[in-house]
Amino acid sequence: MIRRPKPGESEEDLLRLQEEFLAREVASSANVVKKGDKRKNVAGTAQQNRVEKDVVQLPGADPSSGLPMGATSDPPKKKSKFRSSRPAAGDYGVRGQRIEIDLDRDEDPEVAMERHDTHITSVLSKIMEHDTSNAAVHLPRGTTQGFPTALHRGHTTGAQNGKPHKKRSLFAQQFESSTSNQFGVSTEPQSEQPIRAPVSSSIQPHSTHPMRVSDLPMASSSVEENMEMGESIAAESSPQEPHVISGAGLLQGSLDPERARKDIQQIHQENLGRLSAMSEEEILQEQQKLRQMLDPNLLKFLQSKGPSKPTSSSTPTSKPQADSENDSMDTESSAPMATEPIPEEKMTQETSKQRVHFDDNAGGGVDDGKEEQEPEEQEPEEPPIEVKKEWVNMNKVESDKISWLKDMPKPSAKAKEGYQARFDFNGMLVARDADIPVREGLHHHGEEQEVPGYSLEELFTLSRSSVVQQRVLALQTLARVLYNCRISDIGGELMEPLVPKLLEAGVLFLFRWSLDDVNEGVITACIEGLAALLIQPGDESTSDRVFSWYRGSETTPMRPVVEDEEDESGQKIEDKEKSDPQLASQDVIKALLRMSVLERLRYILEVVRPPAPVVLNALAILIRIARHSQEATHEIMKCPRLMQTVFAEFLPLASWKSQGDVVSEAYNYPLIPALKLARVICQNGRHFAATLLTKYNLMSVVVRYASMEPVDMPMNIGEAFQLSTEAFRVWQVCVSYGLACDTYRDLYPLLMQQLQVFQRLSILPLDSTHDASAKAANRLQMTRACTVLSMLEGVIHVAGSAVILQQKQTMRSDEQSQQHPRAPPPPIDWSHVTGLMPPLELCAKRWLAEMTNCSDVLEAEALALAGSSLNFLASVYENWTRQPSYSPVDCLQHIEELVTRLLVPFMTSTSFYSVVCNLKSHSSVSHDGNSSLPIISALPDFSCHPEDQSLVYPCVKQTSSYGFAAGLLRLVTTLLKIHKGMAAKFCPIIESTYVTEYLKAVCKHPHQSSASQLVGSWARYEHHVLYYLVKLYYHVAQQSESCHQYSILYHSTALVLLTSLQSGQEHYVHDLLSTVLFHTDFLAEGRIGDPIASDLADMLTMNGKEETAPSTNSSHQGPTRGELLQDAYDHLGSIRHLYMVYFGAAAQALTRSRARSLHQPHDIDTLSLPEFTGPLVPMDWIFLPLLHLYVEAQKAEMLGKTVKSFPPHILASITDTLRWVFMLETWRPKCLQMVPQAAKVARLYCIFLTGNDLFMEDAVSGFLWPILRIYTQPEYLKALDFNVPVPGVASFHDLYMSILTQYEAVSFGNRLFAHFILLPIQQQFNPSLRKAVWFDRVGVLRSLGLPLRECAIPLTNFLEPKETNPELVEIYLGCVASGSVRPSWSPVMYLVAVSHLSKFLFSRDNLDQVEAVRLKLKMIRQVLALKDKVLQQQILQYQGLDLTQPLGFNLYPQLPLERLEILQAAEQR
């Protein structure tokens, strides 16, 4: 066997195989032959001109058959007559012979092969169509039935008409034996002649002239109309090609196309001639026949092929269209055929199209000739555009498609409940009736096409389109909608917030899913959408503005407050067990982190390398994620190559190419957001900052941008200043931890040079001669200078703490150092910073002097710069006194000079008063605690608007002076701590009207931040100002007696401030409790004889009362109110110790807060504050020791322990708590108005529920009685409300039931306890509380022996308004009838029962209600049936309250006539 060539063999191998093949002399499978040219007469010439052609012959295949190999294996088929008439085989060659084709010299063999190949084409081309023009064709007979009659099969015979039996089916036998009449076909002879069917398959009537269906005239009662129509059609169609009969069958495959066209035209002329010769009756008859025969679909096709009919204006002889609409066959307007030329002038008019309409009501197909009235059709409308003949493929006008070009109809009227929101491509709401052109692309949606704009549902659908441009358009529109919603500039009002609805609809998952797209446009739109969703536009700018304020570098985590969820077994549900939608509904950032958004952003920044806007948005998203929490920051740091890409691509150390005002290329170009991302990461923890410094060489980047002057940077001057400022901010954060201080020594000459430049910088506003660019540059320069001073202030703290660290290191033993290693001393000490004070002191003096003499309004940057200089001086003096080189004499001289020459002149100037007035106008008292911007619970933000400052939290507005005021008050307080002799110079500030008015506004409207809104965290800047104002009074009041008249105001301010402080300000709470709240200088009433005055006031009040009034003091004989106040004042030290111990339990949080407040860099772990959860101290903090004791007692009882007695220190703590409550309720009642009165009563219930006899202790009851008298005063009772939920109490009804159980068990009729039982059952409160006493705990009624004259609660509160609850009235009757309530052991309850029974039985209310009347009559009969006639008389003759009577009420001498009539009516029934 011959081996075949294999891959890889060389040319020599192929030649060797060829030689082996030739040596074997095997016959080849294909041979090359040469065939002579038959067109040549001379054989020699043919032989010379013969061209060789390769012909491949396959064994076993017929070369002339054209069939594939293997086809000859089939059995021979029977030859047809057509096959037998074919030419002999010799003409085409014998089977098995080679085919030889003569070629010309230059002829292509392939072309010759195709030309001589005559296999099937030559056969089909010789098919001649049979001429059937003279053949007779008869139409089927008409039928009168819509469906053949069902025949019975039982009468079928085996043979018919004597024919032999043939095996056929039953249906065939049945059909053969049936007659045509049984199928509804008449057998009568037809009078019409057969219809000739020409070759073109047209249907013709019984005539020698053909006829077309589309040429039939309309059926009408007027012969003239039909004749006119026929003439019009004939005149119109005769010179043209036929419309229905196209003649495609004759033209296709015809050898003589010209002859075929003549035949077609001849047939057409015959049809027209026959049509014009027909009468009206013949036309109607033929119409009915055609209607019966043809399929409806075929009719529609034929009428669509009809010719165009000119309008009445172009055809004078035609009738109006309305005259022909009464028939069952009419014509309609249509466009002309594509084969006809369209005159241009006709396209501007209404065109008509002849269509054949068949009446559906024709029944069996026979027309009775009657006219049928059809509804008139509307006039055809003008086409929306003018179709011109020059347009391509517009020969045939399709009206249904052109109708899309018409003007949109007017939208429907606005619904009362609103309508679906629609947005334009800029994300703005579009009015329903807005006049927007269609070319704007806002009408290309499915529903309500006449209304411009896209709905959110349509945008969501479009975002999943397979067309990239549509996806990009939808995602961009959604992004702009989100951005506009964020800034509350959506161009209209919505019925509900839009962003939470979009989150609920899954817009987060849409963006995340689309972010994985490979198309760069989709990625750009998704990044834009995520940035719009996650970022509140004004938050970052506001955070940057307050960064240089006092403690402005501290940041609040932007994470939502999520309550722990528990499963059915009570176990906490972890985040990993929640689904993505569940997690996204609670925390959007956590959901994104789970969906690997960081890895995708890294891939986009590193591999995709998008344009600059996408990079900026991606960095903004990373900043928002980093602000979420320390956990999110950790995820950013551990994401592979993410921070490496940011530092390598967007924070270059080498030179970069200068760009214009708009950054076009973000790579290898310093980006401010990239540096800001590093700063935010550093703020979240010391360890993050250390990682960036060591692993990513952060300080090299900072030095690169901070050491270069902004004017020398190859970039926009504004961006250059911002980049340099951001570099100093990063440095400031690192210095706050005590890091990167060695760089300060390296750049010390550069920093001193900057301070010399700052000395020439003025904070006064530039005059009008400077343009806007110069003013903007001046503001940027002041912002940069402010940041530099803040960084240097951090260096001061680090240098000042070096001595403390060295002392601690020396005092610790070697063993303690090994167990608890501390940070080593910083690389700088106080000697490195002493040179900073002279130039900065000169700067502060100049700027403060300019403010003193300035009457204009300063810019925000100027106030911030002046405040930074004052903060720097305060930090210098704080740390100066700790240094070994401290000289008291020199320090005091510096302080005296600074106060005398600088601070006092300024604080007595109009500029200072304007600053204080600014504090009042920007205080949080003017903020209702709710943000005007949309609030998203799963995505909290600071609710700052980028432009509209009215929507920003008041104290951080651009015009706010809180940053400067905090620095000024801090400096003054620091100086007074060192030099107490200067306190008297600041008395005018303490007594200033502007300051006192501001503090009064704060105390009048205490502000409590909501835990669900992060915007309340801005209030911490006002807390700094209030704290230092209170501390200023604390230092001044110790040296000046004249300030004590304002002690109430400043003490009230301290109380309000305590309940407003937030998490992270624990040091302020501790300091206020230890130095301010319980200090005698703030409670001056105890020193000026207020307790004695209280007793005198009580005596005067008692003497002025009438003798008939109930006594509120006879029930308790004990110390007077003045004595109790004096006792409480004397125990301020123990009260202070009690609350200090209670609030000092959170030692770890207090340590962190103290480190940040006292600026101890070595103890600061993070600048991120604890999670914002609202106020740190609750409003009812004065009752917290009582709550704590009650909880501990409950725990002991749950463990099976019985609390029988309390140790002395527990009893003392309860007494001190009551002392403090009584003192504040007497001297500071307005400060406790924020605590609901019902909550106060509920807290005092803890005393009665703790132990069995704690409330009977003399010290406890001695203060409970005066507190009760305060709470039963009219103004307090008016504020008491048990109908609303009580803060801190899950269910007050359950608490009251516990109190009733405790009273019934251990009270022994204690009158103090009885008063607290009676408080919730006053008539204005919930009836369920009264039912709990009268029905659930009936035994309580037996021991409520409180006399009427000793009840501190007005009795009218139990009698008015009258009882309307029938169930309670029945309970009253049952209790007094059964003897459960008697006047001897419960006079108050007996009075209540009798009063409400009498008023209910004889009231005129609800007389129109049958059930109410029946109940009253029933109860009256029960009263009349009482055996106790005294009780019966009291109920029937009760008149009203009268405390002079023994029972507390009087009776009618005799029964009133009205009541008598009611009793008689009841007896008769």
Side-chain angles (χ1 to χ4, degrees):
M1 183 176 181
I2 301 176
R3 185 174 66 85
R4 293 181 176 272
K6 296 181 179 179
E9 293 183 344
S10 63
E11 186 177 356
E12 289 77 9
D13 297 332
L14 297 177
L15 293 175
R16 187 176 63 256
L17 291 175
Q18 181 180 0
E19 293 175 357
E20 293 177 359
F21 174 79
L22 295 175
R24 294 189 180 186
E25 298 181 355
V26 180
S28 59
S29 300
N31 298 323
V32 178
V33 297
K34 297 180 180 180
K35 184 179 180 181
D37 192 355
K38 296 181 179 180
R39 296 172 295 179
K40 303 295 183 179
N41 297 327
V42 182
T45 306
Q47 186 70 22
Q48 295 176 1
N49 297 336
R50 184 172 302 171
V51 180
E52 297 182 357
K53 179 180 180 183
D54 294 340
V55 180
V56 180
Q57 177 185 358
L58 298 179
D62 185 3
S64 62
S65 63
L67 299 176
M69 185 177 68
T72 58
S73 61
D74 296 338
K77 297 182 180 179
K78 183 180 180 180
K79 296 183 180 180
S80 63
K81 294 181 179 181
F82 177 77
R83 178 67 180 85
S84 303
S85 62
R86 289 182 59 186
D91 297 340
Y92 296 101
V94 183
R95 182 183 299 273
Q97 292 182 355
R98 296 184 179 89
I99 301 176
E100 297 180 358
I101 303 175
D102 295 333
L103 302 178
D104 294 334
R105 182 179 301 273
D106 298 330
E107 187 176 7
D108 186 15
E110 183 177 358
V111 175
M113 176 70 75
E114 293 295 336
R115 179 166 48 81
H116 290 81
D117 189 7
T118 58
H119 55 291
I120 191 66
T121 307
S122 61
V123 176
L124 295 181
S125 62
K126 290 179 170 48
I127 297 178
M128 302 298 294
E129 187 174 1
H130 182 62
D131 186 8
T132 59
S133 58
N134 297 323
V137 179
H138 296 277
L139 293 176
R141 298 181 182 273
T143 178
T144 59
Q145 299 180 0
F147 194 83
T149 305
L151 303 178
H152 195 271
R153 193 168 52 83
H155 301 287
T156 304
T157 58
Q160 297 291 340
N161 300 328
K163 296 181 181 180
H165 176 71
K166 184 178 180 181
K167 185 176 180 181
R168 288 179 294 177
S169 64
L170 295 177
F171 175 76
Q173 300 175 30
Q174 175 78 22
F175 189 79
E176 185 178 1
S177 62
S178 302
T179 62
S180 60
N181 292 330
Q182 291 177 303
F183 292 98
V185 179
S186 177
T187 57
E188 298 179 0
Q190 296 181 351
S191 59
E192 62 272 11
Q193 298 178 2
I195 299 178
R196 301 172 58 196
V199 179
S200 59
S201 301
S202 61
I203 302 175
Q204 302 174 357
H206 56 284
S207 174
T208 58
H209 301 282
M211 181 188 71
R212 296 186 309 162
V213 175
S214 59
D215 293 337
L216 292 175
M218 296 183 299
S220 175
S221 58
S222 174
V223 179
E224 291 79 2
E225 293 180 4
N226 289 295
M227 295 304 295
E228 291 175 0
M229 181 63 68
E231 293 172 1
S232 175
I233 294 176
E236 191 175 337
S237 301
S238 58
Q240 301 175 0
E241 295 292 334
H243 300 290
V244 178
I245 305 174
S246 61
L250 293 178
L251 291 174
Q252 184 178 3
S254 177
L255 299 177
D256 191 356
E258 187 64 28
R259 180 179 178 182
R261 292 190 185 93
K262 291 182 180 180
D263 293 340
I264 294 171
Q265 190 64 26
Q266 181 181 0
I267 296 173
H268 177 56
Q269 295 297 335
E270 291 178 357
N271 289 338
L272 293 179
R274 180 56 185 165
L275 181 62
S276 59
M278 291 179 63
S279 63
E280 181 183 7
E281 290 78 5
E282 292 175 344
I283 292 177
L284 292 175
Q285 188 177 5
E286 294 301 329
Q287 284 181 354
Q288 296 301 327
K289 292 178 181 179
L290 290 174
R291 203 182 351 250
Q292 298 171 10
M293 290 172 14
L294 299 181
D295 183 72
N297 294 329
L298 179 58
L299 291 177
K300 293 181 180 179
F301 169 73
L302 292 175
Q303 66 189 27
S304 67
K305 300 288 287 183
S308 60
K309 177 182 178 299
T311 57
S312 58
S313 59
S314 61
T315 307
T317 58
S318 62
K319 296 292 182 179
Q321 185 178 358
D323 296 339
S324 61
E325 290 180 350
N326 298 329
D327 304 308
S328 59
M329 180 184 297
D330 57 10
T331 59
E332 289 185 355
S333 61
S334 175
M337 292 293 294
T339 58
E340 298 178 2
I342 305 175
E344 182 177 356
E345 61 274 5
K346 289 188 177 182
M347 299 311 300
T348 60
Q349 302 175 356
E350 295 180 3
T351 59
S352 61
K353 176 181 179 181
Q354 289 191 3
R355 296 182 181 177
V356 181
H357 287 266
F358 296 91
D359 193 356
D360 295 335
N361 300 325
V366 179
D367 191 357
D368 55 1
K370 296 182 179 179
E371 290 186 27
E372 296 180 5
Q373 188 70 22
E374 295 183 0
E376 295 184 358
E377 296 184 359
Q378 298 180 355
E379 291 292 334
E381 300 179 354
E382 290 285 344
I385 61 172
E386 180 182 353
V387 181
K388 299 182 179 180
K389 62 181 180 181
E390 294 85 359
W391 295 353
V392 181
N393 297 330
M394 286 298 291
N395 294 332
K396 181 179 180 181
V397 179
E398 299 175 275
S399 302
D400 53 343
K401 297 181 179 179
I402 295 181
S403 61
W404 283 87
L405 302 176
K406 296 180 181 178
D407 293 337
M408 289 293 178
K410 293 183 179 180
S412 57
K414 180 179 177 181
K416 295 182 179 179
E417 64 275 6
Y419 54 89
Q420 189 178 29
R422 292 191 175 274
F423 303 89
D424 59 11
F425 297 131
N426 292 324
M428 303 295 291
L429 275 174
V430 181
R432 192 174 181 84
D433 53 352
D435 186 12
I436 298 179
V438 181
R439 62 176 177 271
E440 297 294 333
L442 297 178
H443 297 79
H444 300 167
H445 46 77
E447 299 180 356
E448 297 183 322
Q449 302 176 15
E450 67 277 6
V451 182
Y454 289 84
S455 65
L456 295 177
E457 181 181 0
E458 292 165 352
L459 290 175
F460 270 77
T461 303
L462 199 62
S463 65
R464 298 189 295 271
S465 172
S466 59
V467 182
V468 176
Q469 291 81 357
Q470 293 181 351
R471 295 205 305 271
V472 172
L473 182 65
L475 293 172
Q476 286 180 345
T477 305
L478 285 173
R480 291 162 186 172
V481 169
L482 287 169
Y483 180 84
N484 294 334
C485 289
R486 280 292 201 170
I487 63 177
S488 294
D489 186 18
I490 203 169
E493 295 182 1
L494 298 174
M495 299 179 63
E496 52 187 339
L498 186 60
V499 180
K501 287 295 180 182
L502 285 173
L503 281 175
E504 184 180 353
V507 69
L508 178 67
F509 300 97
L510 173 64
F511 285 142
R512 181 60 190 93
W513 167 72
S514 301
L515 193 63
D516 293 333
D517 201 294
V518 297
N519 184 269
E520 188 172 340
V522 177
I523 293 176
T524 301
C526 288
I527 294 292
E528 181 184 357
L530 279 177
L533 175 64
L534 301 179
I535 302 170
Q536 180 64 35
D539 286 355
E540 292 300 326
S541 59
T542 304
S543 300
D544 293 342
R545 187 172 63 252
V546 303
F547 189 84
S548 298
W549 289 10
Y550 176 63
R551 299 178 64 179
S553 60
E554 300 174 2
T555 177
T556 303
M558 300 176 66
R559 65 185 304 172
V561 179
V562 181
E563 298 181 357
D564 295 337
E565 298 181 3
E566 297 181 354
D567 54 12
E568 298 178 355
S569 60
Q571 299 294 330
K572 178 183 176 181
I573 301 178
E574 301 294 339
D575 289 340
K576 61 182 179 181
E577 300 175 1
K578 300 176 183 177
S579 62
D580 288 347
Q582 290 176 341
L583 189 60
S585 64
Q586 298 175 353
D587 196 328
V588 173
I589 300 298
K590 279 187 177 181
L592 280 175
L593 292 177
R594 177 190 286 186
M595 292 185 285
S596 304
V597 70
L598 294 178
E599 289 78 1
R600 183 58 182 171
L601 290 177
R602 192 271 312 162
Y603 176 82
I604 293 173
L605 294 177
E606 182 183 18
V607 180
V608 179
R609 301 176 71 89
V614 182
V615 174
L616 296 176
N617 283 331
L619 293 174
I621 293 172
L622 291 176
I623 293 174
R624 175 61 182 87
I625 295 176
R627 288 193 181 277
H628 176 268
S629 60
Q630 291 183 339
E631 293 80 2
T633 304
H634 177 67
E635 294 293 331
I636 294 177
M637 293 294 292
K638 75 175 186 179
C639 181
R641 303 194 307 278
L642 176 58
M643 293 305 299
Q644 180 180 355
T645 302
V646 172
F647 274 86
E649 301 292 348
F650 311 120
L651 295 174
L653 295 176
S655 60
W656 57 87
K657 183 179 179 181
S658 177
Q659 300 189 33
D661 295 340
V662 179
V663 179
S664 58
E665 178 58 40
Y667 288 84
N668 296 323
Y669 188 83
L671 296 181
I672 300 172
L675 197 56
K676 186 175 184 178
L677 174 62
R679 187 243 297 178
V680 174
I681 291 176
C682 293
Q683 287 178 278
N684 280 317
R686 174 194 292 270
H687 56 292
F688 294 132
T691 302
L692 292 181
L693 291 173
T694 57
K695 185 176 180 180
Y696 299 102
N697 202 10
L698 176 60
M699 283 311 299
S700 298
V701 177
V702 171
V703 173
R704 174 70 175 85
Y705 302 142
S707 60
M708 182 181 294
E709 287 293 331
V711 293
D712 298 333
M713 293 185 181
M715 58 194 313
N716 179 272
I717 186 63
E719 292 184 357
F721 270 104
Q722 293 177 8
L723 183 63
S724 178
T725 302
E726 193 60 48
F728 279 106
R729 286 172 181 167
V730 176
W731 195 359
Q732 175 187 346
V733 173
C734 294
V735 169
S736 300
Y737 301 123
L739 305 174
C741 294
D742 50 354
T743 309
Y744 162 76
R745 295 185 305 179
D746 300 337
L747 297 182
Y748 182 80
L750 178 64
L751 294 174
M752 292 300 296
Q753 182 180 1
Q754 291 291 330
L755 294 181
Q756 294 176 1
V757 174
F758 296 162
Q759 293 178 9
R760 300 189 298 268
L761 185 63
S762 175
I763 63 174
L764 296 177
L766 298 180
D767 53 23
S768 58
T769 58
H770 297 80
D771 56 359
S773 60
K775 294 180 180 179
N778 185 45
R779 289 194 297 267
L780 291 173
Q781 189 173 5
M782 287 191 292
T783 302
R784 180 173 177 269
C786 183
T787 308
V788 173
L789 295 185
S790 300
M791 186 275 297
L792 294 177
E793 181 187 357
V795 174
I796 292 291
H797 291 303
V798 175
S801 63
V803 177
I804 301 176
L805 290 177
Q806 291 175 356
Q807 293 175 354
K808 291 182 178 180
Q809 195 73 17
T810 304
M811 296 174 59
R812 293 164 60 90
S813 62
D814 296 338
E815 183 178 355
Q816 291 176 346
S817 300
Q818 293 178 0
Q819 294 178 356
H820 303 284
R822 297 186 64 88
I828 58 175
D829 55 19
W830 192 251
S831 62
H832 293 90
V833 298
T834 53
L836 297 176
M837 187 171 178
L840 279 176
E841 190 172 2
L842 290 177
C843 291
K845 289 180 179 180
R846 175 182 178 176
W847 294 334
L848 212 58
E850 289 179 347
M851 292 183 64
T852 303
N853 301 323
C854 178
S855 58
D856 298 333
V857 179
L858 297 179
E859 295 178 341
E861 293 78 8
L863 285 176
L865 180 57
S868 297
S869 64
L870 298 179
N871 278 316
F872 179 85
L873 292 179
S875 299
V876 168
Y877 284 105
E878 280 180 358
N879 292 275
W880 191 4
T881 57
R882 306 172 188 168
Q883 307 305 317
S885 61
Y886 169 66
S887 174
V889 177
D890 295 340
C891 181
L892 295 180
Q893 289 179 354
H894 275 89
I895 293 176
E896 290 178 359
E897 182 181 1
L898 183 64
V899 170
T900 304
R901 296 185 178 182
L902 190 65
L903 294 180
V904 172
F906 172 74
M907 300 186 77
T908 55
S909 64
T910 56
S911 298
F912 174 74
Y913 297 145
S914 62
V915 169
V916 178
C917 293
N918 183 277
L919 296 180
K920 182 179 179 181
S921 61
H922 290 76
S923 174
S924 58
V925 299
S926 61
H927 195 267
D928 57 358
N930 297 320
S931 173
S932 55
L933 297 175
I935 299 298
I936 310 171
S937 59
L939 196 63
D941 53 65
F942 296 123
S943 301
C944 296
H945 197 278
E947 298 177 358
D948 190 358
Q949 290 295 308
S950 63
L951 301 179
V952 182
Y953 197 82
C955 66
V956 293
K957 290 182 178 180
Q958 194 168 4
T959 56
S960 172
S961 62
Y962 274 93
F964 172 79
L968 176 64
L969 295 174
R970 179 188 171 216
L971 175 61
V972 173
T973 305
T974 303
L975 297 179
L976 291 182
K977 287 167 63 176
I978 301 173
H979 196 332
K980 295 181 174 58
M982 304 300 296
K985 294 184 177 295
F986 293 97
C987 282
I989 300 174
I990 297 297
E991 300 172 359
S992 171
T993 305
Y994 298 97
V995 176
T996 55
E997 289 297 326
Y998 166 62
L999 295 181
K1000 288 178 182 179
V1002 172
C1003 297
K1004 184 178 181 180
H1005 304 283
H1007 176 68
Q1008 284 264 330
S1009 301
S1010 174
S1012 61
Q1013 297 188 9
L1014 198 59
V1015 64
S1017 63
W1018 293 123
R1020 65 181 184 272
Y1021 295 105
E1022 184 175 7
H1023 298 161
H1024 299 326
V1025 174
L1026 292 175
Y1027 171 76
Y1028 282 111
L1029 265 177
V1030 172
K1031 294 294 290 184
L1032 178 62
Y1033 174 83
Y1034 169 75
H1035 293 291
V1036 173
Q1038 293 179 351
Q1039 306 296 327
S1040 177
E1041 293 289 337
S1042 62
C1043 296
H1044 289 174
Q1045 57 179 327
Y1046 298 99
S1047 62
I1048 298 177
L1049 177 61
Y1050 282 90
H1051 189 248
S1052 300
T1053 302
L1055 290 172
V1056 172
L1057 176 61
L1058 181 69
T1059 57
S1060 302
L1061 295 174
Q1062 305 167 0
S1063 299
Q1065 296 178 327
E1066 290 83 2
H1067 172 70
Y1068 286 174
V1069 174
H1070 186 271
D1071 190 61
L1072 290 176
L1073 290 173
S1074 60
T1075 61
V1076 175
L1077 293 180
F1078 306 101
H1079 199 278
T1080 55
D1081 289 338
F1082 288 88
L1083 292 169
E1085 293 89 344
R1087 296 191 304 175
I1088 59 178
D1090 188 78
I1092 300 175
S1094 299
D1095 286 343
L1096 181 60
D1098 290 343
M1099 294 175 60
L1100 294 176
T1101 302
M1102 291 298 300
N1103 294 332
K1105 286 186 177 181
E1106 297 182 0
E1107 297 181 357
T1108 57
S1111 175
T1112 59
N1113 294 327
S1114 59
S1115 60
H1116 172 69
Q1117 298 296 331
T1120 62
R1121 188 162 67 100
E1123 295 173 348
L1124 293 174
L1125 287 174
Q1126 189 62 46
D1127 177 72
Y1129 185 82
D1130 295 338
H1131 286 82
L1132 281 177
S1134 62
I1135 297 173
R1136 170 184 171 274
H1137 175 73
L1138 169 66
Y1139 286 97
M1140 287 287 294
V1141 171
Y1142 180 81
F1143 284 102
Q1148 189 175 8
L1150 178 60
T1151 303
R1152 295 196 187 99
S1153 177
R1154 183 182 289 113
R1156 288 189 295 267
S1157 300
L1158 300 181
H1159 308 284
Q1160 301 171 352
H1162 50 279
D1163 292 330
I1164 298 177
D1165 294 330
T1166 177
L1167 294 178
S1168 178
L1169 299 174
E1171 183 178 347
F1172 180 75
T1173 56
L1176 183 63
V1177 179
M1179 296 182 297
D1180 59 342
W1181 65 275
I1182 59 176
F1183 299 97
L1184 289 182
L1186 301 180
L1187 294 175
H1188 179 73
L1189 179 62
Y1190 169 71
V1191 172
E1192 294 298 327
Q1194 292 294 109
K1195 291 180 179 179
E1197 292 181 359
M1198 293 179 64
L1199 296 176
K1201 300 178 181 180
T1202 304
V1203 182
K1204 295 182 179 180
S1205 61
F1206 294 93
H1209 69 279
I1210 298 296
L1211 185 61
S1213 64
I1214 296 177
T1215 306
D1216 287 340
T1217 303
L1218 294 177
R1219 287 191 180 108
W1220 183 238
V1221 171
F1222 177 60
M1223 189 184 303
L1224 292 182
E1225 290 287 3
T1226 303
W1227 287 343
R1228 304 289 184 269
K1230 293 183 179 180
C1231 295
L1232 299 181
Q1233 287 181 354
M1234 66 182 72
V1235 184
Q1237 196 65 24
K1240 298 177 183 179
V1241 175
R1243 273 53 173 179
L1244 292 178
Y1245 277 166
C1246 295
I1247 299 177
F1248 299 97
L1249 293 174
T1250 303
N1252 296 332
D1253 55 354
L1254 180 61
F1255 61 92
M1256 296 183 182
E1257 297 287 343
D1258 293 339
V1260 176
S1261 62
F1263 282 96
L1264 278 177
W1265 273 110
I1267 293 175
L1268 175 65
R1269 284 193 289 269
I1270 293 175
Y1271 288 169
T1272 54
Q1273 293 177 4
E1275 59 272 15
Y1276 283 87
L1277 289 177
K1278 186 178 180 180
L1280 185 63
D1281 189 4
F1282 292 104
N1283 295 329
V1284 297
V1286 180
V1289 179
S1291 174
F1292 182 79
H1293 185 273
D1294 296 343
L1295 176 64
Y1296 189 62
M1297 293 297 293
S1298 301
I1299 283 291
L1300 293 178
T1301 304
Q1302 186 79 348
Y1303 179 82
E1304 189 177 4
V1306 302
S1307 68
F1308 300 103
N1310 183 274
R1311 296 181 180 181
L1312 175 64
F1313 204 163
H1315 275 91
F1316 283 91
I1317 293 294
L1318 293 177
L1319 279 175
I1321 63 173
Q1322 298 179 68
Q1323 196 62 24
Q1324 68 266 28
F1325 301 137
N1326 198 321
S1328 62
L1329 299 176
R1330 298 193 292 275
K1331 191 182 297 184
V1333 176
W1334 287 90
F1335 183 75
D1336 297 333
R1337 294 289 186 271
V1338 184
V1340 174
L1341 300 174
R1342 177 66 179 81
S1343 55
L1344 274 175
L1346 183 65
L1348 295 175
R1349 296 183 60 83
E1350 295 183 7
C1351 182
I1353 307 173
L1355 295 177
T1356 54
N1357 291 358
F1358 301 99
L1359 306 181
E1360 299 292 339
K1362 58 185 177 181
E1363 187 63 65
T1364 58
N1365 191 326
E1367 186 177 0
L1368 262 177
V1369 177
E1370 286 187 295
I1371 293 175
Y1372 293 160
L1373 179 58
C1375 289
V1376 296
S1378 61
S1380 300
V1381 178
R1382 297 181 182 180
S1384 56
W1385 60 50
S1386 53
V1388 175
M1389 307 309 290
Y1390 186 81
L1391 170 63
V1392 171
V1394 172
S1395 175
H1396 287 299
L1397 275 172
S1398 179
K1399 292 179 181 178
F1400 181 81
L1401 295 179
F1402 299 108
S1403 67
R1404 292 285 183 178
D1405 299 336
N1406 300 327
L1407 294 180
D1408 55 342
Q1409 299 180 6
V1410 178
E1411 294 296 332
V1413 173
R1414 289 180 180 177
L1415 179 61
K1416 289 182 180 181
L1417 295 178
K1418 174 186 174 182
M1419 294 180 64
I1420 290 175
R1421 288 192 292 268
Q1422 291 177 353
V1423 171
L1424 295 177
L1426 289 174
K1427 296 181 179 180
D1428 190 349
K1429 299 302 180 181
V1430 176
L1431 176 61
Q1432 182 186 52
Q1433 181 185 10
Q1434 292 173 351
I1435 296 174
L1436 297 179
Q1437 298 182 5
Y1438 173 83
Q1439 184 177 5
L1441 177 66
D1442 187 0
L1443 294 180
T1444 59
Q1445 301 297 324
L1447 298 179
F1449 58 89
N1450 52 13
L1451 305 176
Y1452 285 106
Q1454 58 183 4
L1455 197 64
L1457 180 60
E1458 182 179 0
R1459 296 188 178 185
L1460 183 60
E1461 293 177 353
I1462 295 176
L1463 294 178
Q1464 292 176 357
E1467 291 177 351
Q1468 292 176 1
R1469 294 189 179 184

